Amino acid sequence: MIWKRSAVLRFYSVCGLLLQVPAAASKSKVKGSQGQFPLTQNVTVVEGGTAILTCRVDQNDNTSLQWSNPAQQTLYFDDKKALRDNRIELVRASWHELSISVSDVSLSDEGQYTCSLFTMPVKTSKAYLTVLGVPEKPQISGFSSPVMEGDLMQLTCKTSGSKPAADIRWFKNDKEIKDVKYLKEEDANRKTFTVSSTLDFRVDRSDDGVAVICRVDHESLNATPQVAMQVLEIHYTPSVKIIPSTPFPQEGQALTLTCESKGKPLPEPVLWTKDGAELPDPDRMVVSGRELNILFLNKTDNGTYRCEATNTIGQSSAEYVLIVHDPNSLAGQNGPDHALIGGIVAVVVFVTLCSIFLLGRYLARHKGTYLTNEAKGAEDAPDADTAIINAEGSQVNAEEKKEYFI
């Protein structure tokens, strides 16, 4: 019986035996297979995913293709499965292509796979399978609630199982914190890494309720980073402010003083005093929660009122100086600006007097002229009117004479 050469190649390859053919056959095959070369590509897959290994030949005269793993075990020879591994399946088999899939890929599957084209001599192409280790969900440690204002806080974020090593970034109030410590350690399997980062900062009351975020970036996460979040709880002493119900308290009115206090834990209740002592008139001075209500104000209520708030961290206080105003004086203060009105009246009077003065001078000068003319014409005139007419006539004559001489 005479076997076809391709069948012989398939038989000896599967059995793992040394391939031997007559020299004459080898020479004839080399000439016909000069343009035959297998082509492969490197593959990267996330741990637990599926890898597709493809080997192509542009020119093939019915020569067999084979895939083998990094341990040089044959996986597929043409369309025949050689290794019993349920994760490995045939995708496509022809004279020009052999594609197989490896599902549920593990880190141990990483390595160099070989595609062989059984020409004379055998031609091979390598494809490296890279398996990415997915980092575990990060955990933040080092926070113990509550934290006192002014304390130094140290938070550590850690994630394991990444390959290559993951990147850790910190954010506070959506703003990235750059000054952090970074540590990378190789895991026991010597394939993956444990990465940790430490954040140190001193807290104040503005940090209460703030979310500190640890973000893990890795190429296996498909641009969707893993995050861990820690909401801060900061305890601090109270801050106190007194707010009056009116800016100008008046006799007979009511006044409410509100003690606005902020702190953590929240101070409750607050303590009201007047001039360093207890409130003198409990019937008119009623405390309700954080409010001090004073009914029917009078001058005896004048003084310094103090509100004191205390919590487990400490205490704080604020003061308000009460001055009860006379309603009449306030009415005057709130009325028209008499100084402005008085100034306007003074200007008007001054302008009027100046006008009268100027008018008087003008009239006085014209009266003198009238009297002078009257005197000049009175010598030959029987009455004053005639004297004036004569005087005017003399002036005309004078002007005429003046023109004559000119």
Side-chain angles (χ1 to χ4, degrees):
M1 181 185 299
I2 300 176
W3 288 7
K4 290 184 178 179
R5 187 184 56 79
S6 60
V8 174
L9 292 175
R10 184 182 294 109
F11 174 78
Y12 284 110
S13 177
V14 173
C15 296
L17 301 177
L18 179 64
L19 183 64
Q20 294 181 347
V21 295
S26 174
K27 290 180 180 180
S28 63
K29 191 62 183 176
V30 168
K31 183 178 180 180
S33 63
Q34 288 180 351
Q36 295 175 267
F37 295 96
L39 301 174
T40 59
Q41 288 184 331
N42 295 334
V43 177
T44 299
V45 64
V46 176
E47 183 180 12
T50 299
I52 304 295
L53 300 173
T54 300
C55 180
R56 291 188 176 89
V57 181
D58 291 336
Q59 300 177 13
N60 191 2
D61 54 355
N62 299 339
T63 303
S64 296
L65 290 170
Q66 170 189 286
W67 270 112
S68 57
N69 63 14
Q72 295 304 312
Q73 296 172 309
T74 302
L75 303 178
Y76 263 88
F77 190 88
D78 287 340
D79 59 352
K80 301 297 187 296
K81 187 174 184 178
L83 185 67
R84 292 184 177 180
D85 188 337
N86 295 331
R87 299 179 305 129
I88 302 174
E89 298 290 342
L90 179 66
V91 177
R92 184 179 297 105
S94 70
W95 295 116
H96 296 283
E97 179 181 338
L98 178 60
S99 295
I100 62 174
S101 66
V102 183
S103 60
D104 195 19
V105 174
S106 65
L107 295 174
S108 61
D109 292 322
E110 184 175 83
Q112 187 168 267
Y113 289 72
T114 304
C115 174
S116 302
L117 176 65
F118 283 93
T119 58
M120 291 307 232
V122 176
K123 296 175 182 177
T124 62
S125 180
K126 308 292 185 180
Y128 197 89
L129 175 61
T130 300
V131 182
L132 301 177
V134 181
E136 298 176 358
K137 183 175 177 60
Q139 301 289 332
I140 296 179
S141 60
F143 179 77
S144 57
S145 180
V147 179
M148 304 303 168
E149 183 178 27
D151 285 355
L152 181 64
M153 179 178 290
Q154 184 177 83
L155 300 178
T156 300
C157 180
K158 180 181 289 187
T159 178
S160 301
S162 59
K163 177 181 173 297
D167 184 34
I168 294 181
R169 300 166 68 185
W170 288 95
F171 294 85
K172 177 183 173 186
N173 284 338
D174 297 327
K175 182 179 180 181
E176 184 172 1
I177 304 173
K178 295 289 188 179
D179 188 16
V180 296
K181 300 174 184 177
Y182 183 84
L183 178 64
K184 178 179 70 175
E185 297 177 324
E186 194 176 64
D187 293 335
N189 59 16
R190 305 185 68 82
K191 293 181 179 293
T192 59
F193 295 89
T194 294
V195 181
S196 62
S197 178
T198 302
L199 170 66
D200 297 319
F201 65 100
R202 196 170 298 279
V203 299
D204 57 37
R205 62 187 60 198
S206 65
D207 293 320
D208 184 49
V210 169
V212 176
I213 296 175
C214 162
R215 192 176 90 181
V216 175
D217 293 316
H218 194 262
E219 54 188 300
S220 67
L221 300 176
N222 296 324
T224 305
Q226 293 182 342
V227 298
M229 182 176 66
Q230 178 64 64
V231 179
L232 305 182
E233 182 183 358
I234 312 300
H235 282 194
Y236 53 93
T237 57
S239 60
V240 181
K241 180 172 62 174
I242 297 177
I243 303 174
S245 59
T246 176
F248 298 104
Q250 302 180 38
E251 283 187 286
Q253 291 184 344
L255 174 66
T256 298
L257 300 179
T258 301
C259 181
E260 186 180 89
S261 59
K262 297 180 181 179
K264 195 162 187 179
L266 185 65
E268 185 72 35
V270 296
L271 176 63
W272 284 98
T273 58
K274 180 191 176 186
D275 297 330
E278 295 182 357
L279 299 176
D281 192 347
D283 293 334
R284 286 190 310 109
M285 300 179 178
V286 181
V287 177
S288 176
R290 288 181 168 80
E291 293 182 350
L292 171 59
N293 299 295
I294 305 177
L295 307 176
F296 307 109
L297 289 171
N298 57 57
K299 296 289 186 178
T300 62
D301 296 326
N302 289 343
T304 301
Y305 291 80
R306 179 185 179 92
C307 169
E308 183 178 289
T310 305
N311 63 9
T312 56
I313 310 303
Q315 71 173 34
S316 184
S317 62
E319 293 183 346
Y320 172 79
V321 177
L322 172 60
I323 299 176
V324 179
H325 298 274
D326 187 342
N328 296 327
S329 62
L330 284 178
Q333 294 177 5
N334 296 331
D337 191 337
H338 296 289
L340 178 61
I341 295 175
I344 295 174
V345 172
V347 171
V348 172
V349 171
F350 176 75
V351 171
T352 302
L353 292 176
C354 290
S355 300
I356 294 173
F357 175 75
L358 293 175
L359 180 61
R361 290 194 61 185
Y362 175 79
L363 294 176
R365 292 181 61 184
H366 281 72
K367 183 178 181 181
T369 302
Y370 174 83
L371 294 176
T372 303
N373 292 334
E374 182 180 11
K376 290 180 180 180
E379 297 176 355
D380 302 324
D383 53 31
D385 293 337
T386 304
I388 292 299
I389 294 173
N390 292 338
E392 290 178 352
S394 63
Q395 287 181 354
V396 172
N397 294 332
E399 289 179 357
E400 290 178 353
K401 292 178 181 180
K402 198 174 193 178
E403 289 178 358
Y404 177 79
F405 284 110
I406 288 173

